[in-house]
């Protein structure tokens, strides 16, 4: 088992397969930004499989594929198939913006991906395009419809709540998710990289959003066991679930159960990006013991809580690099 210095069991690995994205959400990826990881610097499917196997031997049971936008990587179904076949894995999930999901629903489902988280910050086509730097809302909605038909469950919608940008749409997004059977998760903006710091101009604590929702809906606490960062509520009389993810106003670091692997093999013990350890040297050495040792070294650096309030130094340059 992987136990960090503060007694937290680590059983969840987020694997960023690329830092490339076909959108430019202003809080995540700078406009005009170039990828930091060259195509020849990315971990191969075989290397990713080997790293994940090492984590599963150490007690990890849940893996999520992220980006950038993971669907921009042509060999993503192969990566998913390799990971999904590893004995001991109990959950393989994918985070995506869904712009390319329609044509990849079948291959991903066949490869073993079980659950989807889809980023959706607006249901207004013009506003969606403005937030995402030119994204096509219809492509996302089509991808979601195909994923639903293919049997992915649950499908979670991730909405970053931004004051003066999309906070007036929350009720509409709740109604949309209720109609489609999706689970909505509202997320506070996070100061990851320079773009994240600028996005704090639109920061809206979710406690304020919760009070606003309580005036419209009969909200009750949801006691369904969850291991993730969201605190869930239900809308009385409907059973619809709404998650609140509050990394700043009510941080959840005490229950953090995850590590993050970037596309170039850096293992990040925390989303704030400080203290990353490269696994590439251990991969080249070839022994499983070296790989396990590098993983434990990163684990030993995991802080008690994030340090978003501290100077960034050499931390993550933008959210797309680590996959959130």
């Amino acid at each position: 088992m992987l136990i960090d210095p503060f007694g937290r069991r680590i059983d969840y690995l987020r694997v960023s397969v690329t830092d490339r994205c076909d959108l430019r959400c202003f809080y995540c990826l700078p406009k005009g930004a170039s990828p930091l990881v060259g195509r020849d610097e990315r971990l191969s499917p075989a290397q990713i499989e080997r790293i994940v196997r090492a984590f599963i031997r150490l007690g990890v049971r849940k893996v999520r594929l992220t980006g950038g936008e993971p669907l921009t990587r042509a060999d993503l179904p192969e990566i998913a198939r390799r990971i999904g076949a590893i004995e001991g894995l109990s959950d393989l999930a994918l985070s995506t913006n869904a712009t390319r999901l329609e044509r990849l629903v079948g291959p991903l489902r066949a490869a073993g991906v079980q659950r989807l988280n889809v980023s959706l910050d607006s249901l207004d086509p013009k506003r969606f395009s403005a937030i995402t730097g030119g994204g096509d809302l219809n492509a996302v909605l089509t991808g979601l419809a195909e994923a639903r038909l293919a049997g992915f469950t649950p499908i979670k919608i991730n909405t970053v709540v931004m004051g003066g940008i999309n906070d007036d749409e929350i009720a509409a997004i709740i109604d949309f998710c209720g109609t489609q059977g999706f689970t909505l998760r509202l997320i506070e903006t996070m100061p990851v990289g320079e773009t994240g710091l600028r996005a704090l101009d639109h920061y809206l604590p979710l406690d304020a959003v919760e009070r606003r929702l309580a005036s419209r809906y009969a909200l009750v606490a949801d006691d369904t066991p969850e291991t993730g960062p969201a605190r869930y509520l239900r809308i009385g009389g409907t059973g619809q679930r709404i998650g609140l993810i509050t990394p700043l106003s009510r941080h959840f670091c005490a229950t953090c159960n995850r590590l993050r692997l970037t596309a170039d093999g850096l293992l990040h013990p925390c989303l704030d990006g400080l203290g990353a350890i490269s696994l590439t040297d251990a991969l080249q050495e070839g022994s499983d013991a070296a790989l396990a040792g590098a993983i434990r070294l990163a684990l030993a650096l995991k802080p008690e809580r994030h340090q978003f309030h501290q100077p960034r130094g050499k931390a993550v340059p933008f959210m797309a690099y680590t996959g959130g």
Side-chain angles (χ1 to χ4, degrees):
M1 290 172 54
L2 292 173
I3 306 295
D4 79 1
F6 303 95
R8 295 169 295 199
R9 179 181 176 183
I10 307 302
D11 59 5
Y12 175 21
L13 177 66
R14 295 176 65 95
V15 179
S16 174
V17 299
T18 180
D19 65 344
R20 298 169 187 267
C21 189
D22 52 353
L23 300 181
R24 285 296 184 272
C25 299
F26 73 88
Y27 56 81
C28 177
L29 191 61
K31 186 176 181 180
S34 299
L36 296 178
V37 182
R39 295 184 187 277
D40 59 345
E41 297 174 309
R42 298 185 310 195
L43 295 172
S44 69
Q47 288 174 317
I48 293 172
E49 178 188 359
R50 185 166 170 232
I51 290 173
V52 173
R53 282 188 184 277
F55 271 98
I56 290 176
R57 283 194 296 268
L58 293 169
V60 163
R61 293 295 175 261
K62 176 180 177 180
V63 173
R64 176 173 295 277
L65 301 173
T66 71
E69 173 45 52
L71 299 189
T72 64
R73 185 158 172 171
D75 55 1
L76 180 66
E78 179 189 353
I79 294 171
R81 178 183 56 78
R82 284 174 173 267
I83 294 175
I86 300 174
E87 186 176 353
L89 181 72
S90 63
D91 184 30
L92 179 59
L94 171 74
S95 290
T96 176
N97 62 29
T99 58
R100 305 179 184 211
L101 186 57
E102 179 184 7
R103 62 184 176 83
L104 285 169
V105 160
L108 290 172
R109 187 75 172 151
V113 176
Q114 299 159 308
R115 301 187 300 109
L116 298 176
N117 283 12
V118 175
S119 175
L120 181 62
D121 293 332
S122 176
L123 291 171
D124 177 86
K126 290 184 178 179
R127 182 180 287 179
F128 180 87
S129 179
I131 293 173
T132 60
D136 179 5
L137 176 62
N138 185 62
V140 176
L141 297 180
T142 301
L144 279 168
E146 290 298 319
R148 184 183 176 201
L149 288 173
F152 283 100
T153 183
I155 296 174
K156 295 181 179 180
I157 301 298
N158 290 343
T159 299
V160 177
V161 178
M162 296 165 282
I165 301 257
N166 67 348
D167 57 313
D168 61 332
E169 282 195 75
I170 295 175
I173 296 175
I174 288 174
D175 292 345
F176 167 75
C177 289
T179 300
Q180 299 298 315
F182 303 147
T183 298
L184 174 62
R185 306 196 310 172
L186 304 175
I187 307 173
E188 292 177 345
T189 55
M190 287 180 278
V192 176
E194 291 300 320
T195 51
L197 286 171
R198 289 195 293 271
L200 286 182
D201 292 343
H202 303 285
Y203 171 73
L204 186 62
L206 290 186
D207 284 351
V209 173
E210 183 178 353
R211 290 192 295 270
R212 190 188 307 176
L213 294 178
S215 68
R216 180 184 180 103
Y217 305 99
L219 300 179
V220 295
D222 177 45
D223 297 326
T224 305
E226 287 278 351
T227 58
R231 175 173 60 90
Y232 283 94
L233 304 170
R234 286 190 183 270
I235 297 179
T238 70
Q240 183 180 354
R241 302 177 81 210
I242 302 171
L244 305 177
I245 299 180
T246 54
L248 297 185
S249 67
R250 192 187 303 189
H251 76 82
F252 37 81
C253 299
T255 58
C256 184
N257 65 337
R258 65 201 62 194
L259 296 173
R260 293 171 169 84
L261 180 70
T262 59
D264 54 351
L266 284 180
L267 187 59
H268 288 260
C270 179
L271 183 57
D272 67 17
L274 301 174
I277 296 294
S278 174
L279 299 186
T280 54
D281 290 342
L283 280 173
Q284 292 168 1
E285 182 176 323
S287 73
D288 292 340
L291 191 53
I295 291 170
R296 291 193 182 279
L297 181 58
L299 183 66
L301 297 175
K302 190 170 178 64
E304 185 174 13
R305 61 160 297 176
H306 64 67
Q307 302 296 319
F308 286 140
H309 59 291
Q310 297 292 335
R312 305 302 337 125
K314 295 182 180 180
V316 175
F318 44 77
M319 181 77 79
Y321 178 61
T322 58

